[in-house]
Amino acid sequence: KYFPGGHLKYEPLAGLLVRGSWSTGIGRPPFGNIIPLNSVNETTQRVTVSNPALKPQYSNNYDLSAEYYFNPQGMASLSLFKKKIGDYIFTDSSKIIGAGASNGFDGLYEGYGLTTSANGGFARIQGMELNYQQQLVFLPGWSKGFGVYTNYTYMQTEGDYGGTVVRTTSELAGFLNR
């Protein structure tokens, strides 16, 4: 597969870098999610099933950042990003195993919850990130090697987990807004 992208860097002032980027990518599912395997937890009454038909997810990524480097040995930055993921891989725990010999488990585990990985329609992630880091060179002796670093990230997410009814949600599993 071919995954094009473009990256630009511009230095309008000494110590100030502006970067822009567009890229495409692929995220393949972990092997544990695609190797045929079932596990049953009798205590929680849940069956976890791998999904050998799981497809990779594809993304378009847009990033813009401004970084300011200052003396002695410090940096502050602001980054904006937007990602759109197709065939989004998510964990589906919404199904219950039915009754009968044709339930996929030879009639066993009726009423148990079913967990598996699936491909959804899409996911969008956008947000901003603030960073600050400073080497504490003013400290005496051996302690001048210490530094401080802080980071704050804010994200908005949106996704459609697929299916016959489009279910767009503003929360994606595994992502925190802050």
Side-chain angles (χ1 to χ4, degrees), residues 40-100:
V40 178
N41 186 323
E42 298 284 350
T43 305
T44 62
Q45 294 190 334
R46 180 150 300 276
V47 177
T48 302
V49 178
S50 63
N51 182 356
L54 207 54
K55 300 180 288 185
Q57 57 188 18
Y58 295 91
S59 67
N60 275 300
N61 313 295
Y62 304 91
D63 298 276
L64 180 64
S65 70
E67 305 165 0
Y68 181 66
Y69 295 86
F70 51 88
N71 287 322
Q73 302 175 356
M75 189 266 294
S77 69
L78 167 68
S79 301
L80 305 173
F81 57 88
K82 185 172 190 171
K83 319 279 184 215
K84 182 168 181 187
I85 303 169
D87 288 327
Y88 180 66
I89 298 171
F90 68 98
T91 300
D92 184 2
S93 298
S94 65
K95 296 178 177 57
I96 303 295
I97 298 172

Side-chain angles (χ1 to χ4, degrees), residues 114-132:
L114 180 65
T115 299
T116 190
S117 295
N119 290 102
F122 73 89
R124 279 193 203 104
I125 302 139
Q126 63 184 15
M128 57 155 284
E129 182 175 72
L130 296 167
N131 290 300
Y132 176 82

